[in-house]
Amino acid sequence: MARGPRYRVMFRRRREKRTDYRMRKAMIVSKTTRLVVRGSLNHMQVQVAEALPTGDRVLASAFSKNLASFGWRAPSGNLPAAYLTGYLLGKKAKAAGLEKVILDLGLASTTVGSRVFAALKGAMDANLLIPHDEAVLPPNDRVGGEHIAGYAKKLQETDPTTYERRFSQYISKDLRPEELPKHFAQVKEKIAEAFKEEK
């Protein structure tokens, strides 16, 4: 660690790579509501939050585990689950009267077509206004799980043992991975219907 009379130790959350304080200050000064997207290996969390000097105030929130209440049986950490979590959050935010937000990725690295941008696409498809570059969004076939279904079908034909092992989470919940795009469409429709009824 550096030493000397002019060395200044970074704030703890910055050292832990949890908060970019310069960016946070800019967001507080702008007074813009943020779409906060955070992911782990198995789950996605999407929130709409307002930055205040004392901390964040969450205005709407959706967690990938919430998708189970709409019939989602696939794992909740993949690209389609990220999209549906963003879509659910977008519907909740619209129901709460929110219209426009900006994307907050925190300290996460950005990869074109990643789960973070799938969640962004879901929130936009729920009619939230979010400034973005179209080039970063994943294509519709990947969002719907076509790539997973295609890989599963190919693997089942060439190596059934590996197929059973790699897709055991799907099979244990009585969902064939080849049927993921159809399942995805059904769950998305249920989310849309649920918020249509609330109106």
Side-chain angles (χ1 to χ4, degrees):
M1 188 178 207
R3 294 178 180 171
R6 298 185 67 187
Y7 180 73
R8 187 177 67 180
V9 178
M10 290 188 292
F11 290 133
R12 176 182 57 81
R13 287 184 64 91
R14 182 59 182 148
R15 290 197 310 269
E16 294 172 352
K17 296 185 168 72
R18 296 172 69 188
T19 301
D20 182 340
Y21 283 96
R22 283 184 182 156
M23 182 66 72
R24 180 163 182 80
K25 180 183 175 183
M27 286 188 290
I28 291 172
V29 171
S30 73
K31 296 181 180 177
T32 308
T33 308
R34 296 148 40 228
L35 179 74
V36 182
V37 182
R38 300 291 183 266
S40 68
L41 186 63
N42 297 315
H43 299 290
M44 289 297 292
Q45 183 172 6
V46 189
Q47 297 177 325
V48 172
E50 181 182 22
L52 301 171
T54 53
D56 284 351
R57 184 163 70 98
V58 177
L59 306 174
S61 180
F63 193 55
S64 54
K65 280 186 176 179
N66 302 146
L67 299 176
S69 61
F70 296 96
W72 183 250
R73 287 176 286 151
S76 54
N78 59 17
L79 202 71
Y83 173 90
L84 289 173
T85 306
Y87 186 72
L88 175 59
L89 181 278
K91 291 294 186 182
K92 286 183 175 182
K94 290 293 286 185
L98 300 168
E99 295 289 336
K100 186 175 181 179
V101 297
I102 58 170
L103 181 62
D104 176 4
L105 299 176
L107 296 174
S109 58
T110 57
T111 304
V112 173
S114 65
R115 295 184 305 160
V116 169
F117 295 120
L120 167 66
K121 187 179 177 77
M124 290 191 314
D125 286 351
N127 295 321
L128 271 184
L129 298 175
I130 309 168
H132 67 285
D133 182 353
E134 290 287 337
V136 301
L137 300 177
N140 290 329
D141 59 336
R142 286 186 65 82
V143 162
E146 295 283 353
H147 63 297
I148 298 172
Y151 173 66
K153 187 176 180 181
K154 184 178 178 182
L155 193 62
Q156 188 181 29
E157 293 169 356
T158 57
D159 192 348
T161 306
T162 305
Y163 168 85
E164 294 285 339
R165 188 176 70 250
R166 288 196 178 164
F167 293 103
S168 59
Q169 285 188 56
Y170 291 82
I171 296 166
S172 66
K173 294 183 180 178
D174 197 28
L175 173 67
R176 307 305 293 184
E178 303 91 317
E179 298 172 359
L180 182 60
K182 182 181 176 183
H183 181 59
F184 168 87
Q186 290 170 342
V187 173
K188 183 180 177 182
E189 190 176 342
K190 284 181 182 177
I191 294 171
E193 285 175 2
F195 285 89
K196 207 177 283 182
E197 288 172 6
E198 287 183 7
K199 289 180 181 179

